[in-house]
Amino acid sequence: MNESTKTNLMGMTREELAGFFVAHGEKPFRAVQVLKWIHQRGITDFSAMTDLTKGLRIWLSEHAEVRAPEIVMTQAARDGTHKWLLRLDDGNCIETVFIPEEGRGTLCVSSQVGCALDCSFCSTARQGFNRNLTAAEIIGQLHAARGHLQPEEGQSRVVSNVVLMGMGEPLLNFEPVVAAMSLMLEDNAYGLSKRRVTLSTAGVVPALDRLRETGLQVALALSLHAPNDALRDQLVPLNRKYPIADVLAACRRYVGNGGHHSRVTVEYVLLDGINDSQAQARELAALLRDVPCKINLIPFNPFPESRYRRSTGAAIDRFRDILVQAGYTTITRRPRGDDIDAACGQLVGRVEDRSRRELRFARLQGPPGAALS
């Protein structure tokens, strides 16, 4: 049988996999067995899944497969950061980054091929947008990374944290992202804590409310980057659709959901002379006063042909100090992997742009409440 006609089990949740087996006359408990083989043991060959019957192994080999994106290039930075270029079936490529730190290892995964939001300070936006990733392509990044990272002696797992902060806006690819996060949290798959899976969004308000209703309760990061709508309209065009007040209200609803997370992480890229003044720091402090949050300040990571510069160290310190004095937990994120273009905002992959930018911007500038696709 041609592989393209086989069912890829990589991105199936436990419930979906149980349904798959029941539909073919098998018991639903087979889902748990196969999940453990694929995601805990990293086995993709059905013949090696020894607790399945021989007949089932043969049937699966004929009708199913376990396939993740193919790693075609690996780069290692001086600070230990790893970046992988992964090729998809359609020839597009995405990038995934692993950041080792003392006591944890964070994997930054992509959710789309390119990005449709066109944030002006982000290299990914220059690539345009092609399509959403499937659940298999999203969780496949974690599967592939774990297969290439060897735990040190006494270390139970290399990847302890996952952030959906790579290429793309996760909430514009809702169902596959939710399915992938379910597998990250699934005890029979990766078994990550809800505190250790973070979704980063520019603020797609209806989808953020939908995420709250799923009950997944993963950590939330908001890419804010400006203290007012006028500036954010320029930096993050999505703001023309969902202005700051609406986005922050949705964030308050999310963290008020009674889950594990009582605070939003506000991400703020500091751009020299654009959004890094002391007055803007005070404006940001006032803006967030009713939002339970901590603030991550991110020095801008340059890329070719960018019109922005990184804020000076002195400006970053002044900005941080004002927020700290206002009572906010504020961390200045140290750039990681920037020597291999693996830092925040630098991921590019290889994308065939099908974004139809003029139509997209017309929609972004349409009346509030209209659909964004």
Side-chain angles (χ1 to χ4, degrees):
M1 179 179 291
N2 190 314
E3 282 200 346
S4 64
T5 67
K6 294 183 177 182
T7 300
N8 188 6
L9 307 187
M10 173 63 72
M12 285 191 176
T13 65
R14 176 164 52 87
E15 293 77 14
E16 290 169 338
L17 203 50
F20 171 79
F21 281 114
V22 169
H24 293 90
E26 288 288 339
K27 298 294 184 181
F29 72 84
R30 296 297 187 192
V32 170
Q33 292 176 303
V34 172
L35 278 175
K36 289 180 176 179
W37 282 110
I38 295 173
H39 299 294
Q40 293 185 355
R41 300 167 185 159
I43 300 299
T44 60
D45 181 359
F46 294 118
S47 66
M49 300 181 183
T50 53
D51 57 357
L52 305 181
T53 65
K54 183 177 179 180
L56 178 56
R57 281 179 275 164
I58 293 173
W59 184 87
L60 285 171
S61 298
E62 294 173 347
H63 295 88
E65 61 182 344
V66 182
R67 183 162 45 86
E70 177 192 4
I71 293 178
V72 294
M73 185 173 68
T74 302
Q75 291 178 281
R78 291 185 298 269
D79 61 15
T81 297
H82 282 70
K83 183 175 76 171
W84 295 281
L85 183 72
L86 298 99
R87 184 167 54 218
L88 309 177
D89 289 344
D90 60 5
N92 279 296
C93 289
I94 55 174
E95 291 184 340
T96 304
V97 174
F98 174 71
I99 304 169
E101 299 174 276
E102 186 174 352
R104 70 177 184 177
T106 300
L107 188 72
C108 182
V109 303
S110 296
S111 57
Q112 296 181 308
V113 183
C115 185
L117 296 190
D118 206 39
C119 297
S120 62
F121 53 87
C122 181
S123 183
T124 307
R126 296 290 184 93
Q127 306 303 299
F129 173 75
N130 184 277
R131 65 173 176 85
N132 288 326
L133 295 181
T134 66
E137 290 166 336
I138 298 170
I139 200 66
Q141 296 169 66
L142 176 54
H143 187 277
R146 285 191 22 165
H148 281 74
L149 296 169
Q150 296 301 317
E152 298 177 1
E153 186 175 351
Q155 187 180 38
S156 59
R157 67 175 83 202
V158 182
V159 178
S160 62
N161 296 63
V162 176
V163 292
L164 284 96
M165 202 178 289
M167 298 171 63
E169 163 55 60
L171 290 183
L172 290 181
N173 186 20
F174 191 84
E175 287 83 3
V177 162
V178 167
M181 291 193 303
S182 297
L183 284 168
M184 294 172 194
L185 303 175
E186 167 65 50
D187 288 340
N188 298 297
Y190 297 96
L192 295 174
S193 162
K194 294 179 179 181
R195 296 187 300 274
R196 294 181 177 272
V197 176
T198 301
L199 182 142
S200 176
T201 179
V204 185
V205 171
L208 184 52
D209 285 330
R210 283 183 66 195
L211 180 64
R212 174 172 55 91
E213 293 166 1
T214 66
L216 285 180
Q217 299 174 346
V218 296
L220 179 67
L222 172 65
S223 296
L224 186 59
H225 312 307
N228 58 65
D229 284 321
L231 179 56
R232 195 168 192 258
D233 283 351
Q234 299 174 41
L235 299 178
V236 184
L238 180 68
N239 197 71
R240 304 170 199 168
K241 192 71 170 180
Y242 305 115
I244 291 175
D246 294 345
V247 172
L248 294 183
C251 290
R252 286 193 295 269
R253 290 192 293 271
Y254 186 86
V255 297
N257 199 32
H260 293 277
H261 303 287
S262 59
R263 294 191 297 178
V264 179
T265 299
V266 173
E267 308 279 357
Y268 195 100
V269 170
L270 286 159
L271 306 166
D272 183 36
I274 303 295
N275 66 352
D276 63 347
S277 72
Q278 295 178 66
Q280 287 166 320
R282 288 189 287 269
E283 189 178 5
L284 180 63
L287 175 71
L288 298 174
R289 64 181 178 272
D290 295 327
V291 181
C293 66
K294 62 179 180 178
I295 303 171
N296 277 357
L297 300 180
I298 306 170
F300 172 65
N301 296 303
F303 56 88
E305 301 180 7
S306 170
R307 64 181 184 270
Y308 298 115
R309 297 187 307 272
R310 178 179 294 180
S311 298
T312 65
I316 293 172
D317 290 345
R318 286 193 296 266
F319 200 96
R320 179 204 61 213
D321 291 345
I322 289 171
L323 295 173
V324 170
Q325 290 166 11
Y328 293 97
T329 300
T330 306
I331 298 169
T332 301
R333 186 185 296 173
R334 180 166 61 92
R336 299 294 303 271
D338 51 353
D339 58 316
I340 57 169
D341 293 332
C344 183
Q346 291 184 321
L347 302 189
V348 295
R350 188 174 70 231
V351 180
E352 180 185 345
D353 185 7
R354 296 178 180 171
S355 55
R356 294 161 57 186
R357 289 177 182 269
E358 291 184 5
L359 175 60
R360 187 174 75 251
F361 282 118
R363 290 175 175 172
L364 283 171
Q365 297 177 56
L372 174 69
S373 59

